[in-house]
Each structure stands twice: as C-alpha cells, then as structure tokens.
Amino acid sequence: MKYSIVPTIYLYFLLIPMMLFFSGSVNGQDSAKCFSGNRFHLTATPWEPLNISPQAYLDDVEGLCQVARKYQDDRGAIIDPYLQREHQYSTPYYAFAVGTLLDAGRANDLKTSGVKAMDHATGCFAGGSDSIPDAHGEFFIPALTGALHLYKDRVSKELWEKWQGRMQNPLSEVMRNFSGRLNNWRTYAMKGEWMRAHADLVEKQSAVDFIEKAWKQWTQRERIVLDKCHLYQDWSSDPQSHAVEAVGRGNLTSLVMEGYDGPSAQEILSTVRDGSLTSLLLQSPAGQCPPNGRTDNHIFNDILYQLIFEAMANDALERGKTFLAGQYKRAAMLGFQSIQRWKRTEEPWTGSFYITKNHFEPKHRIGYQPASQWGNYSGTMMYHLAEAYLTAKDSNIREKPAPSEIGGYAITTDARFSTFVANAGGMQVFVNLRGASVPKYGIYWTPLGTVRFSKSGWDDRLGPSDGIRDPEAGEKINFSRGSGETADQYRAQSGVSFGPSWKERGAKLNIADLALHYRGSVNVNFVHPLLVKFTITYSYITGRGGPYFHHEFTVTPDGVLTRLSSPQDRPFALTVPLLQNDGRKLQTKIMEGIASTRYPHDTDEQNFISLNEQVGIDTSGSPIQSTYGWLKPVRYSAQEDTNIVYVYPRTGKDPSADAVKKSFQFNKNGYENLLHSVSGTIYKGRTSAGGFGSEIDLDEDGKPEVIFDKSCKFILQLRQNNRIKSVETDRNVTMQIRGEEYRLKAFEPYEL
C-alpha cells in the first residue's frame, strides 16, 4: 500500500498539463489566465541552497509528538490541554506521526503510546460517526489508512488484523451528512477512500464512484477548475481563504499522486499542477503562504504548502523538468524554514509550536477561529510534516531559486480571492483588492489594502502580514444621508492596512474599514525581475460617495517606493501598520519622518520612510489586534499633492534608514539613493542591475559598459566595483562588454 503523497510508480508520465512550462521554469507564460511573467533564472542578490534534510522534518514531528504524549489518557486518546477533552482528529494524526517516526528508526520510546493511539482511534472509527470525536470521520480515513502500513511489522498479527477489520467500516457509517460538508472536508474523504481501496479495505469501484460523484456533482470540480488560477475555493468566507485553499488543493494533489486512475484523474492532475504553479508565486520569499480568509496565519498553512511543493517537486522531476523540480524543492524548504520562527522553547511545550503566528499564550486564542484548538492543529502539523518527510525522503532533487526569490511577475488572482501580488528580485508586495464585508466567526479576516511586504533573507513578520477588522472595535459612526435613508454605520479604525486614510464627519477612516463600499483595481505598468511598477486605484462602488485614490508602487529588490495621491481636493493621509507586540514587545521608533520596528536582539528592521518635505505623523490611533499581534496605525500626512513613503525592509548589513532617507534624490526619469537607482526601465543596485533597453552605464561615466545589438530585458549579476559576474536576457542577442563580444541565448544564464 502506498502511504506517501507521491506514488512509488508514477502513473501519469504521458499526461500533458493544461498550461505548459517553458525551459522547465515557473517564470514562463505558464497560465495566460494568471501569469504574464518571465523565465529568468538569475537572482538579484547572492543565493545559496538551504540544504535542509528531510530528517529535519522528523525532528519537528518528534518534538510535537513528545509534547502530545504528555496529554494522552489511559485509553490512548490525545486530550487537548485547554479543552480538557479529545478533540476532532488529534489522536489518529498522532498515531500516524508516531508510526512515521518508528518507520524511520526513531523515537522507540513512543511506540507503546503510538500503538495505544492507533487502537483507540480505530476503535472510534469502527463505532461510526457517533463514536468519532466531533463527528470528524472524513479526517480519520487517510491518517489511519496510512498508519496501518507503518505499524504492520511493529505489532502482533492479531492486533493489526483487528485494526484492519475496523478500517473496513463503510463510508456511510463514518461520514455524517453526505449532502453537506461539501467544502474541503469532502476532499479528505476522497483522498481517504482511494487509500482504502489501495489497501483492500473497500472495493475500488465504490471508491471511484464516490470520488467521481464528489468531483462532478458535489461541487469539487467547480471549486477549482472554474477558478481563474486553479486555486481551490472553499466557499467558506468572502473573499476566499488562501489558508483553506491549500487544504482542498493539497488533498486533491495527494489523491492523484497516490495514483488515482478514475475518469476524472487527468483533469484533477492538470488542475492541481496549474494551481501549484500559482501558489509558487503567492508564497512569500521568506516562506509564508499567502494571507487572508478564515484560518489566516495559522502555522499549519505553511506546512500544507511545504507538503504540496514536495509532491510537485517529485512530479516535475518525473516529467524531466529539473529546474522546476528544484524550484519546488526550494519552496518547500522555505516553507519549513518559515515555521521555525514560531517553535516553542519553554516547558512543558518545548519542541511544539504555537497555533497561530504569534507568541501569545494559546489560551488567549489570538487569531483563532472556533475550530482552532491546540489538539487538532498540533495534530495537523505533525501529520502533514510526517507526510512531507515520506514524500521527500527518497528524492534527490537539487534546490534552485524559488520564483518568489527571482521575482519578475505581477498577477491578479480570481475575483473570488481578489488579491494582487507583485515581486521584483525577491521583494514581494501583497495587496487585497477587495476586503471582507461580511464577518466570519465575528471577524473580517481580509482587510482592503496592502497587507504584506516581504523580502528574501529578511524576517517578514515585520511586514506585517495583515490587519483583520474587528466589527466590535473602533468608534461607531453613522453615515446616513438623511431622513428615510438606511443608516450606513461603520466602526472607524477597526482595521488597518497599508493604504489611504481620511476624515469624514470628524472620524478618521482607513481604507481597511470600508470594504463594503470600496474596491481596488490594478494597472501594471512594467514588469521585470529587478523592477515592477504598478498602480492601485481605490474607488467607491456604491452610492455613498467618497474620495478616490491612486497608489503608485515601484518595487525593487531593496524596497518599495510608494506615491499616494487623490484627484480630489481634500486632505488625506497614508496609514502604515507598525507591529508593536506579538506576545513579545518589539522595539518601535517614530522620529524624523521614519517609523520603524524590530525584534529585540535581531538586526532585521522594517522602516516606513516619509520623503515629503513636510510631513505630519499622527500616532493617536488605537492599536488593533490582528492574527499577528498588535498593529499600531501610524498616519502620514503631507502638504504636497503626493504622499511619498519608501518601505525599507532593512537587514543588519544594510545602511541605516536615516542614511537612505538623506540620500534620496529624484529626477525626471526616476530616483537614486544609497541602495540603488531607477531610471525609466533600468535598475542599478549593489549586487545586480538590469531592465529593458539596449545598453547600461554602470559607473555613471557617460559611457555604457554593456551594449546589446537589440533592446531586450536583461539581468546582470554584479561583483564588487560593478564587475559583471553573470548575465541573462529574454531573447537571443549579441552583447559587447568593453570591446569583447558574446552571443547569448534567451533565458540561458551566461557566466563571465
């Protein structure tokens, strides 16, 4: 029986995905519906492999299991220490994780505990839905079926056969409500039934019939095939949840990678391949999956991305796409590296993780949805990390720069998600073009505006991630227009994002507060791996009226220059969210037009630098608690028509924010500072240069060092003193460097 997300024998090597790769790189025109990017390979900054061993995945699995064992009762059930009861699928997930450790020759001290968990969980399964904690039978099926194989040679034949018999309980007995639970829950049953068929626990044809009906009639196909980018729509929040998206797509990926060969297999395979390409671009260069929607900023989200990327790395390698396989491998490692920031070190929790991406005591449930509990989501982490290990353990794929580290794309997702992502040289900007206007579990999970700035090699917790709206927070404002008109009520300063703010009837409003009435639209002006330019226009879509705004972004590998303006003659400001406390107090500073934040004893720092001659900074707004922590709304107002703020994610090796501010000089074609210069479509930085053109003058002596025989997009990787290390172009060209001639092929890096 196969228990890995990737089958031992790949069954679909002849299938061609709906959107083909060029040169094996995700940066090609892979899906015209979502991408208009590039196929470059070179990075803007020096790049090195992470070389994370799959054994490191098991280290975290073991840490989680050792903590969970402390809360196992005499029956073998894992008891949630906060709920004081067994919750959902924590026990079968624990059993699978321990089985994986044992199969890898580790954690023999957990064997008795794992066997007890397996015995208890299979007993619950045999008793049907009423015996399964919280009636979560769908989730039991794949974990327990996979675990059977892991324990087969480690328990007596009699015990194993008892478990095997229990696992033959019909789906109708263990899954409640066949006509309901049609969101991602149904994909657990689809994956699980196929695994049971392979293990001869159910008839294959009955499994195929169930999967085909779920795909064609029970909405699974509509949720992903009809999406513009083939992302999975859970239909459980509006806009759609990027966090939950990975659950449904991950299970469908597992289904086809386990060798599903029913009538819809090819369509499912092609669809999850496309969706995975999109998710490579949505991942932050620091490894986080995209924000927004219910269950936003839960740590298991990044593990799901990690698991999918490991599976797709193997899939790409099977198809001979070695560079793409390396990109997926790198993305998986970035996801794994990302979660280490939320590992707990204090007793009795050492080796486990927080549930959401903050350091608050879990009993306070910061950023939680009702289903968010210690038992089930710690179980989710250990289960999917174990699956990631099983998927990666036999692969020998050399990692390559991930798309989020290369940059050179600007994509808009399906309107049901309404997100826009731009990336230049590993500097990512994530914008919500639409916010949540209907709360889910009492929270507006998705605020309108820019919610993430992230940079390669930098701690993007400081980005920050989001500023969810609390419908009970802030000052209540009545905007009814007159007698007989329905009251139009808002809570001012109940949310925060990087975006425009203004006063209305004496109240301070952020764009994040007005998701019901405002939308963002995007116009992309230029896209290159080192330089992306775009403009977000915020306008009201209802009859209430209000100001319009244009927010221009110039994205480079070093930072983001933003210019906010309004065509209307009325005062406005730019609100920036400053992370103050995520369970640990950060060091924040606001002076001389610069607002900055950093963790104590860390060198990474986020800076919002005003470049207006006269700027007012208003810090009177109350902090807002997001899933990440307390965000302080800081309002920048300027006397000029355009409010200019430079977003500068600084590392310890970079110049100070004050030095960068003082070095800024603007000209008719762009600007320059200590970090880089931008002139039209040309970027020149400390470690790279390039853009679109036929020549470039690196040392500003009036004579170009590099000349191409025709205009092209190009990247130069630089050594010290502007010496050229490597070059890559988007077409076949002849290049001259100081009299020497070189013939370059499109998208083939050339090292000098």
Side-chain angles (χ1 to χ4, degrees), residues 341-357:
R341 296 175 284 183
W342 293 284
K343 186 180 288 186
R344 303 185 72 173
T345 57
E346 75 282 13
E347 291 295 341
W349 310 103
T350 304
S352 65
F353 291 81
Y354 290 93
I355 302 303
T356 51
K357 295 178 178 179

Side-chain angles (χ1 to χ4, degrees), residues 92 125 136-146 167 171 174-175 188-196 383:
F125 192 85
H136 271 55
E138 297 95 324
F139 298 78
F140 274 55
I141 305 171
L144 290 178
T145 303
M167 289 305 299
L171 184 62
V174 297
M175 192 179 81
Y188 284 98
M190 294 167 70
K191 168 185 174 180
E193 282 303 277
W194 182 247
M195 292 176 68
R196 286 212 292 174
Y383 173 47

Side-chain angles (χ1 to χ4, degrees), residues 202-366:
V202 298
E203 291 293 329
K204 177 181 176 180
Q205 190 57 51
S206 67
V208 170
D209 290 344
F210 170 77
I211 293 166
E212 290 297 316
K213 188 172 184 179
W215 180 251
K216 295 175 180 177
Q217 299 180 37
W218 285 332
T219 76
Q220 294 307 308
R221 184 180 185 277
E222 291 92 331
R223 292 171 186 270
I224 188 167
V225 170
L226 301 185
D227 181 88
K228 170 185 172 182
C229 301
H230 291 166
L231 299 177
Y232 184 89
Q233 297 183 8
D234 196 61
W235 300 352
S236 57
S237 60
D238 184 47
Q240 294 292 311
S241 170
H242 276 297
V244 182
E245 186 276 329
V247 181
R249 181 166 51 86
N251 283 332
L252 292 174
T253 300
S254 179
L255 173 66
V256 289
M257 292 299 133
E258 287 280 354
Y260 179 64
D261 58 1
S264 299
Q266 180 174 349
E267 185 176 43
I268 299 172
L269 176 63
S270 297
T271 303
V272 297
R273 281 176 177 166
D274 273 356
S276 297
L277 295 182
T278 302
S279 65
L280 275 175
L281 306 187
L282 299 179
Q283 183 189 38
S284 88
Q288 291 196 78
C289 75
N292 296 341
R294 74 173 183 92
T295 328
D296 181 22
N297 285 326
H298 283 56
I299 292 164
F300 78 83
N301 304 152
D302 292 344
I303 297 173
L304 285 168
Y305 258 54
Q306 173 193 352
L307 174 58
I308 292 170
F309 291 151
E310 287 287 5
M312 298 313 295
N314 290 348
D315 175 63
L317 187 65
E318 289 282 351
R319 294 185 287 147
K321 299 179 178 295
T322 56
F323 189 80
L324 174 61
Q327 289 185 301
Y328 274 124
K329 175 63 72 172
R330 174 71 170 196
M333 291 183 183
L334 288 172
F336 177 74
Q337 180 178 253
S338 174
I339 69 170
Q340 304 307 311
R341 296 175 284 183
W342 293 284
K343 186 180 288 186
R344 303 185 72 173
T345 57
E346 75 282 13
E347 291 295 341
W349 310 103
T350 304
S352 65
F353 291 81
Y354 290 93
I355 302 303
T356 51
K357 295 178 178 179
N358 55 59
H359 291 82
F360 295 107
E361 164 55 43
K363 70 180 180 181
H364 299 307
R365 300 181 58 78
I366 304 303

Side-chain angles (χ1 to χ4, degrees), residues 592-593 610-617 635-640 643 661:
E592 298 181 353
S610 173
L611 298 176
N612 291 101
E613 291 186 6
Q614 293 183 330
V615 61
I617 298 183
R635 291 164 53 96
Y636 286 66
S637 58
Q639 297 296 319
E640 295 97 324
N643 194 326
K661 178 181 173 71

Side-chain angles (χ1 to χ4, degrees), residues 14-60:
L14 293 178
L15 298 181
I16 305 300
M18 294 171 67
M19 303 300 175
L20 294 175
F21 281 102
F22 295 97
S23 301
S25 168
V26 73
N27 292 23
Q29 184 76 20
D30 295 300
S31 174
K33 294 182 179 180
C34 295
F35 309 146
S36 57
N38 62 79
R39 294 153 49 194
F40 285 91
H41 301 74
L42 296 180
T43 57
T45 55
W47 183 91
E48 293 182 356
L50 292 171
N51 291 325
I52 297 174
S53 167
Q55 291 296 324
Y57 299 176
L58 284 189
D59 292 341
D60 282 352

Side-chain angles (χ1 to χ4, degrees), residues 569-641:
D569 185 17
R570 59 184 297 173
F572 67 90
L574 172 67
T575 294
V576 304
L578 203 65
L579 184 62
Q580 288 186 318
N581 191 312
D582 73 342
R584 301 173 304 170
K585 187 176 181 181
L586 282 79
Q587 295 177 347
T588 59
K589 182 172 64 174
I590 303 173
M591 60 185 304
E592 298 181 353
I594 303 174
S596 63
T597 185
R598 59 185 291 183
Y599 287 95
H601 313 301
D602 267 348
T603 57
D604 287 356
E605 179 182 81
Q606 178 64 295
N607 299 276
F608 300 99
I609 304 173
S610 173
L611 298 176
N612 291 101
E613 291 186 6
Q614 293 183 330
V615 61
I617 298 183
D618 180 0
T619 61
S620 63
S622 300
I624 294 168
Q625 192 172 64
S626 78
T627 53
Y628 252 40
W630 290 99
L631 299 175
K632 177 71 172 178
V634 180
R635 291 164 53 96
Y636 286 66
S637 58
Q639 297 296 319
E640 295 97 324
D641 293 337

